Amino acid sequence: MSQTGLPDLWPEHFDERLAERTRRPGPFLLAGPPGAGKTTLLLRIAENLHAAGWSCLYLDLMAAASSPDRFVTAALDVMPAESFGPRLPEA
């Protein structure tokens, strides 16, 4: 375990590089074995982005992906109306 609390699997300053990547448009894929710290890393980045004024969502796809209805329900449960309500017509 590194000093950052992440497993030693990730290269040095990986969380900083990933945080910078989240500020650019387009999707990205973060993959690794179970227990590698993927969720910990992403939640830490979400906290930092939130502190910088971004709106971040955590959507548990293990529960949400079982049906389209469950996906919509899970997404709506984590989407704060004050942040995303005005953009609903775009969706």
Side-chain angles (χ1 to χ4, degrees):
M1 192 73 61
S2 72
Q3 290 179 337
T4 63
L6 294 171
D8 292 326
L9 175 68
W10 304 109
E12 189 174 356
H13 303 293
F14 184 70
D15 54 341
E16 295 166 17
R17 294 193 324 244
L18 185 58
E20 179 57 36
R21 172 58 185 91
T22 62
R23 289 175 167 83
R24 296 193 316 253
F28 67 93
L29 174 66
L30 177 63
K38 299 177 299 291
T39 301
T40 301
L41 179 65
L42 292 174
L43 289 174
R44 179 184 305 153
I45 290 169
E47 286 176 14
N48 293 339
L49 289 171
H50 181 74
W54 290 66
S55 294
C56 300
L57 304 175
Y58 176 74
L59 180 58
D60 181 359
L61 291 179
M62 292 298 288
S66 59
S67 75
D69 291 344
R70 286 188 180 160
F71 179 83
V72 170
T73 300
L76 291 174
D77 284 347
V78 299
M79 295 176 72
E82 66 274 2
S83 297
F84 296 96
R87 301 192 72 183
L88 195 55
E90 294 175 44

